[in-house]
Amino acid sequence: MRLRNGEELVALLRGHTQVRWLVCGHVHLDQVIQRDGLTLLTTPSTCFQVSKVSQAAKILPGPPAFRVVDVHGDALSTRVLHLHAAGTDGL
């Protein structure tokens, strides 16, 4: 999935060295991309997930998930938490 003006956005952010992370939601994918000193984090959906490997958009059955982001000074830590229904043995 691509942002229409992604190249322009990265070029703009590249001019602001204090910007090191870009966190995006509503992408339905959990991805971490390093580009020109910028870390781009996409976030899974609280609804359905989309395949990372399919050429065409492919909806996957999967647990809803969300990303937790903690920023402390110059440090960022993040994790993705998947919600599992009780009684599914962790599936």
Side-chain angles (χ1 to χ4, degrees), residues 33-79:
I33 302 164
Q34 299 286 330
R35 184 166 178 192
D36 297 331
L38 184 65
T39 301
L40 300 109
L41 302 164
T42 63
T43 301
S45 171
T46 56
C47 181
F48 60 85
Q49 309 312 319
V50 176
S51 173
K52 292 181 188 180
V53 296
S54 177
Q55 293 293 331
K58 181 179 179 184
I59 295 174
L60 301 175
F66 61 96
R67 181 179 297 280
V68 176
V69 177
D70 294 308
V71 179
H72 297 284
D74 290 342
L76 177 136
S77 65
T78 182
R79 63 194 177 283

